[in-house]
Amino acid sequence: MKTFYITTPIYYVNDSPHIGHAYTDIAADFVARFKRLDGYDVKFLTGTDEHGQKIQRAAEKAGVSTIDFVSEVSKRFVALTPLLNLSNDDFIRTTETRHKKAAQHLWSLLTEKGHIYKGKYCGWYSVRDEAYFDEKELINGKAPTGSDVEWLEEESYFFNLSIWQDKLLAFYKDNPTFAQPSSRLNEIIKFVERGLEDLSISRSSFKWGIEVPGDDKHVMYVWFDALTNYISAIGYPGDISQYWPADVHMVGKDISRFHAIYWPAMLMAADIALPKQIIAHGWWTIDGEKMSKSIGNVVSSQQLVDELGCDQTRYCLLREIAFGNDGNFSKSAMIIRINAELANNIGNLVQRTLSMIFKNCEGLMPKVSTDEIYNQKLLNVALDTINQVRLTINNTQYQNSLEAIVNLSNHANLYIDEMAPWALAKTDRPKMEFVLTSLAEVIRYIGILLQPITPIAAKKLLDMLSVERRDFAALSKEYMIKSGTIIAKPEIIFPRAEI
Ligand code: MSP
């Protein structure tokens, strides 16, 4: 079986999750669920990033021990799995022994291979970003992200990042789709072309981190530790060949540098294969400003799910903005979207068709007596939709994947209006049965295709149609709903959202 390994970033546990985090989770979950239905053995990983100075300071501020603090906040991220209906197979915490062992093993390996050395670090550090910045990168004395920076001078271990510059550039050239969207890869290439400096990868001014093997004065720089999660979760330093190299690391654009430069260089140095793709999304903003816990302008995932519903939240987050771009958060735009596409378009199609079958055909799929079993033109659109969804997913155009499903529903709605089966019920019963069969079959396709994005409604819909086989291999004539199949009394799958 083909495998597919997809990851989200591991989230800092300095505060509660907001929809910026939900966004990465939902996008990765959408792809993971899609690939499972498309016949892959999928591994979907998420987790929490629990070390570093930022976390230590947050715990101090909260007045609790650091380990109690991270365990408590990590639970809020674990709770996203049921809240957002995520299908992750694992949840890694960087304070777990399996992770610490893996990070220490990687460190020792790089030391043995001569890629780590001891030196002295002097430079600008932003605790909020847990990142180092060059003097030339600062804007008005602040990090390019707007965060405060502090001058650091300390003994540190270094990773010889600079020697990987040419190899990285050659790798990007050979793998032009390595980072998506391509504009991101261009930024990365420009950054690497300007020259890379060796990376300080240990800290001795605080203790909250993974101990550097053989030197208890130092803890690992949190990004060295964090990036390793992608292999520690699948059993590194044991055999990771079942899922590695990862197919996709889904990340926000602010952390693409760590994933597209540091991580590949670390892996090259360790002689481990590189991930196949880094997909970077844009930011949810409020009045043009990045939604962020440090700024305090956040919408919590819980709040949005309570107001819109889980399926609807998932749908809107992926449907509202083109993946890769920033988007301003607007709840009213989401409500309009839910009503137009989910309630009026797909919901009505289902309601109209199934209630007619329920009332006029005794709740059983009719037996069509004409030569054709269903309207071929309409069914061709249904058959082609999976190709469009697959293509757009592979091109990271998730917004368009959802649009393709709505489009199919549009076609079916036009057909129902044109054929007016409610009138045929009185004048031409065989034709009515033909029309309803065609529509029910299209609805079966819609139900199967909706599973990755609105899993709860899709299940309800497929249950109403008594559909047994639900993976994408069932998107063919062979699995059409048989006449005589019980069609349940329709329940509303997508209620209207209230302003
Ligand atoms: N701990 C690191 C990641 C380590 S991965 C080895 C980290 N954590 S974070 O909690 O600060 O951010 C996690 C993810 O949430 C990032 O991908 C980030 O882009 C995303 N988002 C945080 N705020 C966001 C928005 N306002 N909008 C969209 N995504 C944003 O970075």
Side-chain angles (χ1 to χ4, degrees), residues 19 35 76 84 107 111 153 163 165 197 229 258 284 292 315 321 328 365 380:
I19 64 161
K35 292 284 178 184
R76 301 181 203 159
L84 304 172
W107 181 289
T111 306
E153 262 183 47
I163 73 157
Q165 179 176 349
E197 286 178 20
N229 91 87
F258 298 93
W284 282 96
S292 119
Y315 185 84
I321 52 178
N328 214 37
M365 199 58 181
N380 284 344

Side-chain angles (χ1 to χ4, degrees), residues 1-4 6 28-44 85 87 89 314 386 389-390 393 402 405 444-456 458-459 462 467-476 479:
M1 203 173 180
K2 302 166 287 181
T3 60
F4 188 84
I6 182 165
D29 186 62
F30 173 61
V31 178
R33 285 179 185 266
F34 181 89
K35 292 284 178 184
R36 279 193 205 102
L37 293 164
D38 215 14
Y40 289 80
D41 163 12
V42 171
K43 178 102 184 161
F44 168 25
N85 202 354
S87 63
D89 304 284
R314 294 169 58 99
I386 179 65
V389 177
R390 202 179 275 125
I393 286 191
L402 306 188
I405 305 172
R444 181 178 74 90
Y445 279 67
I446 292 175
I448 290 178
L449 291 165
L450 280 176
Q451 293 176 99
I453 187 66
T454 55
I456 301 168
K459 179 176 182 311
L462 295 171
V467 171
E468 278 170 20
R469 183 147 183 192
R470 298 181 177 191
D471 62 337
F472 296 151
L475 293 173
S476 77
Y479 292 95

Side-chain angles (χ1 to χ4, degrees), residues 8-15 18-24 47-51 54-55 77 94 128-130 222-223 225-230 250-256 258-259 281-286 289-293 297-298 321 326-327:
T8 72
I10 47 173
Y11 303 101
Y12 285 131
V13 288
N14 56 335
D15 210 342
H18 59 75
I19 64 161
H21 310 114
Y23 188 47
T24 331
T48 41
D49 190 351
E50 306 188 3
H51 292 125
K54 172 154 82 173
I55 311 285
F77 286 87
T94 54
R128 187 174 130 197
D129 301 316
E130 294 282 18
V222 65
W223 271 101
D225 150 3
L227 288 163
T228 314
N229 91 87
Y230 300 128
M250 186 84 77
V251 300
K253 64 177 182 180
D254 46 328
I255 56 172
S256 49
F258 298 93
H259 286 81
H281 62 70
W283 288 337
W284 282 96
T285 59
I286 298 254
E289 197 168 14
K290 183 188 177 201
M291 193 184 288
S292 119
K293 36 200 176 196
N297 58 350
V298 296
I321 52 178
D326 290 353

